[in-house]
């Protein structure tokens, strides 16, 4: 299966090709803004690096939030346009789900992203990264309280972790 994965939910803009059970190519640009300018050249670059064309794709994956409204809109519109042009399905991936998948073990995970303005986006995941809560915008103190309610022995992961730690 060949999947083009796009992430424009936060400050970084990224594209990757998943092929034959591994990441065949990836590009990431920490630009903060201007995802629209970077995304299509980035897609062309990962396709070239992976040695495949648009028609060789089986599906597209894109982050669906939470995250920056403008960033999400750019990623979703790009994925939708490619999906319609190629006749390929889109797989929506929650931003916090993607962060939780990076956790190094299968215990409980609090995935936390900095939402700015004193808040974080947070979601709790249990063993095998199963969601135990819905994604929420919370204060750092409220996210820390969610950690206390999670199964013991978990980790806090993501760009908002430093905001939560002082309250744990």
């Amino acid at each position: 299966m060949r999947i083009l994965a796009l992430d424009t939910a936060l400050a970084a803009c990224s594209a990757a090709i998943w092929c034959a059970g591994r990441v065949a190519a990836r590009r990431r640009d920490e630009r903060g803004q201007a995802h629209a300018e970077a995304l299509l050249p980035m897609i062309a670059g990962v396709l070239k690096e992976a040695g495949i064309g648009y028609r060789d794709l089986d599906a597209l994956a894109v982050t669906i939030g939470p995250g920056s409204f403008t960033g999400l809109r750019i990623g979703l519109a790009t994925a939708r346009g490619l999906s319609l042009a190629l006749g390929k399905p889109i797989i929506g991936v929650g931003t916090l789900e993607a962060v939780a998948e990076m956790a190094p073990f299968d215990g409980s995970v609090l995935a936390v992203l900095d939402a700015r303005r004193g808040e974080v986006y947070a979601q709790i995941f249990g063993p095998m990264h199963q969601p135990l809560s819905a994604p929420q915008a919370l204060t750092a103190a409220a996210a820390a309280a969610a950690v206390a309610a999670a199964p013991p022995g978990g980790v806090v992961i993501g760009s908002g972790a430093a905001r939560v730690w002082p309250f744990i």
Side-chain angles (χ1 to χ4, degrees), residues 37-84:
E37 296 169 9
L39 189 56
L40 289 174
M42 196 176 283
I43 291 169
V46 295
L47 287 169
K48 183 176 180 178
E49 185 179 331
I52 63 173
Y54 285 98
R55 297 265 176 222
D56 297 320
L57 295 170
D58 296 305
L60 300 112
V62 62
T63 48
I64 58 173
S68 157
F69 176 76
T70 302
L72 288 168
R73 191 175 61 192
I74 291 164
L76 290 166
T78 302
R80 179 73 172 139
L82 289 171
S83 170
L84 290 172

Side-chain angles (χ1 to χ4, degrees), residues 16-116:
I17 300 291
W18 177 263
C19 184
R22 68 176 184 82
V23 176
R26 70 176 139 215
R27 301 260 166 100
R28 182 175 193 272
D29 189 345
E30 189 79 35
R31 53 180 50 231
Q33 295 180 345
H35 293 357
E37 296 169 9
L39 189 56
L40 289 174
M42 196 176 283
I43 291 169
V46 295
L47 287 169
K48 183 176 180 178
E49 185 179 331
I52 63 173
Y54 285 98
R55 297 265 176 222
D56 297 320
L57 295 170
D58 296 305
L60 300 112
V62 62
T63 48
I64 58 173
S68 157
F69 176 76
T70 302
L72 288 168
R73 191 175 61 192
I74 291 164
L76 290 166
T78 302
R80 179 73 172 139
L82 289 171
S83 170
L84 290 172
L86 301 171
K88 306 295 180 176
I90 298 174
I91 303 161
V93 179
T95 311
L96 292 164
E97 285 179 74
V99 170
E101 285 295 326
M102 293 187 301
F105 71 104
D106 271 337
S108 65
V109 174
L110 176 67
V112 188
L113 299 172
D114 188 350
R116 300 187 181 148

Side-chain angles (χ1 to χ4, degrees), residues 136-149:
Q136 301 173 63
L138 302 168
T139 65
V147 171

